[in-house]
Amino acid sequence: MSSSEERKLILKSSDNEEFVVKESSAVQCLTIKNLVEDRCVSDPIPLANVDSKILALVIEFMEKHAETTLSNSEKKEFDVEFVKKPFDDLLELILAANYLDFRELMDVLCNTCAKQMENWSVEEVREKFNIQNDYTVEEEKAARAENPWAFE
Amino acid sequence: MRETESLGLCFENMLIFGGGAGGGGRWRISEWKDIPAELLLRILSLVDDRTVVVASGVCHGWRDAISWGLTHISLSWCKKNMNNLVLSFVPNFTKLQVLILRQDAPQLQDNAVETIASYCHDLQELDLSKSFKLTDHSLYTIAHGCPDLTKLNISGCSAFSDSALAYLSRFCRKLKFLNLCGCVKAATDRALKAIGFNCNQLQSLNLGWCDHVGDEGVKSLAYGCPDLRALDLCGCLLIRDESVIALANNCLHLRSLDLYYCQNITDRAMYSLAQSRVKNKHETWDSPKNEYEDEGLTNLNISQCTALTPPAVQALCDSFPALHTCPGRHSLIISGCLNLTSVHCACAVQPHRAANLLSHLAH
């Protein structure tokens, strides 16, 4: 009845680039779906927390997973290739997927992130996530004390 | 102070990022130290326990988030320094509900268990199996610190005494699962009487190889723990028929019974189980309990119970359709009872009913 298949949305990244997507693909992101259902859709939809580079990747994933002609195993193959990105990009994508509430993408990214983390030391985690050590010297000693045990 | 700030920031981010409704006005995370707790925990729910420990050492924000959300962890992968790890790790994780510390070689000492009992008051499940070095002091601290325990595994902790175990039962009254396999000094009739008196919600008890266990103890259990579903008396050589009769008459939900090597057991015990089934069926006829409760015994091990004869065991099989002798599904274990090979389950005799049973049991 409704022409929602043909309906398009315009998404605008934080750096003001506009992307046209099918509404039917975009509603995989519950954030966008809620806007559509509440009829709060502005034109374009501003996504203040997602820059164009990341938004393009999200849209690539979104459109692939919205394709009804693809089988699940084909989608999985796509996912495997999709996550072969620098860790920094994966982190950016996780934040975007979290913000957009895009469950499928979150699952794929979190699994990848988790798998990579599994052999890291505390220092490696800090380095990859770009986190400064904020322990005092005493706390560091106590925390460090745990580290050897973590590598049995 | 710093820790509170990080935690505050985490909560704020979590509140804003959770849900996903609405459009603009969101924070941008510029630093991963401020990752929303919910998001960090989601990722950590996918990694192994060792990595969770590593993550908790990264920065204050992460430690606080994990401390806020971590309820289950196993430290069994730590093969050499588990005691020190518990001492330094546990004080930060007071929300723990499940803590698995099963060891291959005994490492844990009383000071580690004391630490757990001091900080983890919400603990529901604790596995200390093979903690050979622990003394009664550990049981006393657990009694005082962890009253909400429902599952306790102290199998292989052979230094515990029965008075300490009895003491624990007075405080940990919500116990449902208790594994005392190999706790020869602890599992005596004295301790079992205390457990029967105090732990009325008990569903599963493992007394394997506790050869001081006698009829007085098991009878106390039967009278005190009507919800008992699984009882392992493997190697409890002193047990006689009166124990099984008490169980048959009082523990109407019993599904698994292990009497391996209980060589004093005779046909009387078998008949009492079979007859209790008939009585039980009539009583539960009108009750709203689900069908699976009604299955009765599903597992029975009577290996080496050489006094048993075929008619008695067959009567048992006939009363309990879930006891199987058929290959692949056999749940009636009769190793060493060469005279019982003629006993067979319903499947062999009634194929139609067997087919119904199969779909019935396939839950």
Side-chain angles (χ1 to χ4, degrees):
Chain A
M1 206 179 325
S2 82
S3 55
S4 61
E5 280 82 78
E6 295 126 21
R7 205 151 41 194
K8 301 275 199 322
L9 294 174
I10 305 174
L11 305 177
K12 189 166 85 165
S13 68
S14 58
D15 48 347
N16 291 320
E17 208 178 305
E18 292 188 358
F19 298 80
V20 180
V21 296
K22 285 189 247 186
E23 184 184 292
S24 54
S25 309
V27 293
Q28 291 178 87
C29 301
L30 295 184
T31 310
I32 296 177
K33 182 167 190 248
N34 288 337
L35 286 174
V36 170
E37 283 178 353
D38 294 346
R39 296 165 196 257
C40 300
V41 180
S42 55
D43 215 5
I45 299 173
L47 300 173
N49 285 2
V50 190
D51 68 26
S52 52
K53 171 184 169 195
I54 296 299
L55 187 52
L57 291 172
V58 173
I59 290 171
E60 184 193 340
F61 187 96
M62 183 196 288
E63 289 182 335
K64 205 69 170 187
H65 276 253
E67 268 177 54
T68 45
T69 52
L70 285 184
S71 70
N72 276 334
S73 53
E74 282 172 316
K75 286 182 185 172
K76 280 215 167 78
E77 274 176 42
F78 167 80
D79 293 347
V80 167
E81 289 308 308
F82 185 81
V83 296
K84 288 182 183 171
K85 291 181 164 47
F87 196 73
D88 280 343
D89 285 357
L90 292 179
L91 292 186
E92 293 286 323
L93 280 164
I94 286 178
L95 294 180
N98 190 43
Y99 169 68
L100 293 169
D101 203 354
F102 189 172
R103 232 154 266 181
E104 266 191 85
L105 180 55
M106 272 300 270
D107 286 345
V108 169
L109 292 169
C110 286
N111 276 315
T112 309
C113 184
K115 253 185 259 170
Q116 292 198 28
M117 283 177 77
E118 273 187 353
N119 287 311
W120 291 348
S121 65
V122 173
E123 285 82 10
E124 280 175 283
V125 174
R126 285 181 185 146
E127 189 201 329
K128 298 276 187 170
F129 282 83
N130 194 28
I131 294 175
Q132 291 280 48
N133 179 6
D134 61 358
Y135 283 116
T136 63
V137 174
E138 291 78 29
E139 286 171 329
E140 180 73 49
K141 249 197 216 160
R144 269 209 166 275
E146 287 173 33
N147 293 347
W149 324 143
F151 292 94
E152 297 300 339
Chain B
M1 219 10 92
R2 185 185 283 160
E3 269 161 40
T4 335
E5 278 174 43
S6 297
L7 186 57
L9 206 57
C10 273
F11 275 121
E12 274 185 84
N13 280 343
M14 188 195 76
L15 286 169
I16 289 172
F17 275 76
R26 300 236 183 147
W27 288 39
R28 172 146 182 71
I29 296 182
S30 49
E31 295 193 54
W32 275 88
K33 70 172 174 63
D34 302 327
I35 181 177
E38 195 184 57
L39 182 51
L40 178 60
L41 290 168
R42 180 180 181 162
I43 297 174
L44 290 181
S45 71
L46 302 168
V47 303
D48 59 23
D49 290 296
R50 192 205 67 98
T51 308
V52 173
V53 174
V54 166
S56 68
V58 167
C59 65
H60 282 118
W62 280 35
R63 166 161 286 179
D64 292 340
I66 297 170
S67 167
W68 171 79
L70 188 69
T71 56
H72 290 51
I73 196 161
S74 164
L75 301 179
S76 295
W77 46 266
C78 187
K79 303 294 181 192
K80 283 197 201 147
N81 286 295
M82 190 195 274
N83 202 66
N84 282 321
L85 178 54
V86 170
L87 288 174
S88 57
F89 182 82
V90 162
N92 289 305
F93 298 93
T94 57
K95 298 254 175 59
L96 283 176
Q97 292 171 18
V98 177
L99 182 56
I100 308 296
L101 301 172
R102 162 178 229 102
Q103 299 133 79
D104 294 334
Q107 301 178 58
L108 281 189
Q109 296 165 39
D110 288 336
N111 61 354
V113 177
E114 189 171 348
T115 303
I116 295 166
S118 308
Y119 287 94
C120 304
H121 299 301
D122 293 342
L123 207 57
Q124 291 173 25
E125 184 177 337
L126 181 60
D127 185 345
L128 296 169
S129 38
K130 296 213 194 162
S131 300
F132 202 70
K133 295 187 196 171
L134 295 180
T135 74
D136 284 348
H137 181 73
S138 283
L139 288 183
Y140 294 125
T141 57
I142 293 172
H144 295 141
C146 308
D148 287 344
L149 268 185
T150 56
K151 260 177 121 156
L152 179 61
N153 185 341
I154 48 174
S155 60
C157 297
S158 47
F160 290 149
S161 74
D162 58 357
S163 51
L165 180 56
Y167 186 89
L168 180 126
S169 73
R170 300 217 307 265
F171 293 83
C172 297
R173 310 192 70 168
K174 300 184 189 174
L175 278 173
K176 290 196 169 135
F177 297 84
L178 183 56
N179 190 336
L180 303 172
C181 186
C183 298
V184 179
K185 276 171 56 188
T188 64
D189 284 356
R190 174 190 175 177
L192 292 182
K193 279 183 192 165
I195 292 170
F197 188 77
N198 293 307
C199 305
N200 309 114
Q201 298 176 49
L202 201 61
Q203 292 181 15
S204 170
L205 179 60
N206 187 332
L207 296 170
W209 309 110
C210 297
D211 52 16
H212 294 331
V213 168
D215 292 323
E216 287 312 302
V218 179
K219 287 196 296 193
S220 300
L221 279 173
Y223 301 143
C225 309
D227 216 13
L228 206 55
R229 287 150 207 241
L231 181 60
D232 190 334
L233 295 168
C234 177
C236 297
L237 310 170
L238 301 174
I239 298 301
R240 310 185 80 86
D241 290 337
E242 54 190 291
S243 285
V244 179
I245 294 169
L247 290 166
N249 292 332
N250 292 285
C251 301
L252 304 180
H253 303 303
L254 198 60
R255 304 188 72 194
S256 175
L257 183 58
D258 196 319
L259 298 167
Y260 175 57
Y261 243 105
C262 298
Q263 296 191 314
N264 294 320
I265 299 295
T266 74
D267 289 348
R268 245 181 94 214
M270 300 294 108
Y271 283 122
S272 75
L273 281 168
Q275 281 158 22
S276 78
R277 169 74 173 155
V278 175
K279 279 188 258 169
N280 188 18
K281 253 190 165 155
H282 287 309
E283 275 162 32
T284 58
W285 197 257
D286 293 319
S287 87
K289 284 240 159 71
N290 68 42
E291 293 163 39
Y292 302 118
E293 297 273 4
D294 221 31
E295 279 304 322
L297 273 181
T298 60
N299 289 282
L300 178 65
N301 188 342
I302 42 175
S303 302
Q304 303 293 342
C305 297
T306 44
L308 299 178
T309 70
V313 183
Q314 187 63 58
L316 197 63
C317 250
D318 294 342
S319 292
F320 294 108
L323 277 181
H324 290 282
T325 55
C326 38
R329 273 209 300 172
H330 71 279
S331 54
L332 175 67
I333 319 285
I334 52 172
S335 310
C337 301
L338 300 170
N339 60 332
L340 294 182
T341 48
S342 60
V343 175
H344 49 81
C345 60
C347 302
V349 178
Q350 285 152 331
H352 294 300
R353 207 184 280 182
N356 285 341
L357 275 171
L358 273 170
S359 56
H360 201 42
L361 290 166
H363 69 105

